[in-house]
Amino acid sequence: MAKLVPLFSSSKGNSYYLQGNNSAILIDAGRSCKQIENALLINDLNMNKVRSVFITHEHSDHVGALKVLSSRYHLTVYATKGTLEALYEQDKISASTNCVEITDKIETDDFKVERVDTSHDARESCGFLITTPDDRKCAIVTDTGFLTQSAIDAISSSNCAVIESNHDIEMLKSGSYPYILKKRILSMTGHLSNLDCSKMLPRFVQNGANRLVLAHLSGENNTAKIAMDEALKSLLNSNMKRDIDFTLDVAAIETNKKSVIF
Ligand SMILES: [Zn+2]
Ligand SMILES: [Zn+2]
């Protein structure tokens, strides 16, 4: 049995805590070190079991706390070659930090972690498929303009899936964002819409990914209710029943002390 704790998730900051038997890892370290420590405290957790942090890409909502957190807790930072280069260049990591490049698959702290391809306007972004010590799988796929085949395969093979459900397309189009930003979000290297996320969910559940977490919701162009309703509509239309065939949660912008056991 493994436990996933979304600490926070949105364009303001992203971080997830994943616990196996005796160790834990962090995925992304957005916001500040203090905010991550507080979010852990709220969930009756701390950094004691964490030795590694996996970074999806260099955007500040994923690495705001990385420099301080990794040196304070002597964490090993895992990321793709391109992401590590961007982190050094942008001074988001210390020269003395222990960094490991993820090529395909890596084993650490009892976890096996596979890289998942995402399509995003960062140097070399990725998602992760994490296998826990007791062979449970969690896929984390956010910050992607569309679901790549690698992402579809990873989510399909998982037990628990964190999938981006960033925006409602109409809210975004009619909202206050400048045209250039709307275009970026809607592009193939932007963010995944509620529609693009929800239409794939029945297939994922059918394949066994029945612990679903919608993530990286926009604070401006989405609400938890709208994202949840769209996902539920798609799943219920496929004759799947909530809490029987699947569970569905939203990774909150601020931690809501909710974990997913899988
Ligand atoms: Zn992001
Ligand atoms: Zn990003």
Side-chain angles (χ1 to χ4, degrees):
M1 198 171 72
K3 181 161 91 164
L4 173 78
V5 184
L7 300 177
F8 26 76
S9 173
S10 77
S11 45
K12 282 165 77 184
N14 299 273
S15 188
Y16 304 91
Y17 177 96
L18 182 60
Q19 189 172 299
N21 294 336
N22 298 308
S23 59
I25 55 175
L26 285 182
I27 298 94
D28 283 334
R31 302 267 183 108
S32 70
C33 189
K34 188 89 219 143
Q35 283 171 304
I36 290 186
E37 289 166 341
N38 281 343
L40 287 168
L41 256 177
I42 290 167
N43 288 282
D44 305 317
L45 298 167
N46 55 44
M47 288 292 292
N48 288 353
K49 291 184 172 177
V50 182
R51 295 282 165 272
S52 314
V53 56
F54 288 78
I55 300 297
T56 56
H57 63 298
E58 69 275 19
H59 288 165
S60 56
D61 56 319
H62 298 261
V63 297
L66 184 61
K67 197 170 181 182
V68 177
L69 193 81
S70 57
S71 65
R72 183 172 297 174
Y73 294 101
H74 309 289
L75 304 178
T76 300
V77 177
Y78 293 87
T80 62
K81 184 170 187 282
T83 297
L84 287 175
E85 283 169 1
L87 291 173
Y88 282 124
E89 282 167 25
Q90 297 168 18
D91 194 31
K92 288 170 176 167
I93 204 163
S94 307
S96 59
T97 304
N98 185 26
C99 294
V100 177
E101 185 187 315
I102 300 175
T103 46
D104 184 22
K105 190 188 250 185
I106 218 148
E107 287 193 32
T108 174
D109 291 348
D110 304 334
F111 295 93
K112 286 184 205 124
V113 183
E114 288 165 67
R115 171 197 169 143
V116 176
D117 296 336
T118 55
S119 172
H120 196 50
D121 50 2
R123 191 79 60 91
E124 193 184 353
S125 67
C126 72
F128 299 111
L129 177 65
I130 303 146
T131 306
T132 68
D134 50 1
D135 236 20
R136 305 293 288 166
K137 290 188 176 192
C138 177
I140 296 187
V141 179
T142 68
D143 299 73
T144 192
F146 67 98
L147 288 173
T148 64
Q149 191 57 49
S150 150
I152 292 168
D153 293 345
I155 297 168
S156 298
S157 74
S158 71
N159 306 103
C160 170
V162 177
I163 312 172
E164 175 163 45
S165 190
N166 180 259
H167 56 273
D168 175 84
I169 295 170
E170 285 316 309
M171 273 177 90
L172 175 66
K173 282 185 174 166
S174 61
S176 63
Y177 276 11
Y179 172 73
I180 191 90
L181 184 53
K182 290 181 184 180
K183 207 172 135 189
R184 181 205 156 226
I185 293 169
L186 290 166
S187 78
M188 297 292 268
T189 55
H191 288 279
L192 201 68
S193 69
N194 291 346
L195 182 66
D196 286 341
C197 170
S198 62
K199 68 185 181 197
M200 293 298 290
L201 296 179
R203 172 172 166 183
F204 294 147
V205 171
Q206 199 122 44
N207 285 320
N210 52 19
R211 297 278 177 271
L212 302 172
V213 180
L214 307 179
H216 211 300
L217 271 64
S218 165
E220 283 277 325
N221 305 306
N222 210 355
T223 67
K225 185 176 180 337
I226 287 172
M228 190 80 111
D229 284 351
E230 186 132 14
L232 276 175
K233 191 170 80 185
S234 171
L235 288 156
L236 300 179
N237 281 344
S238 299
N239 292 319
M240 292 172 171
K241 294 184 179 60
R242 190 174 185 181
D243 297 330
I244 294 173
D245 299 313
F246 64 90
T247 65
L248 181 66
D249 290 290
V250 167
I253 292 177
E254 307 295 339
T255 189
N256 57 1
K257 211 184 171 186
K258 206 165 198 176
S259 58
V260 182
I261 306 292
F262 65 98

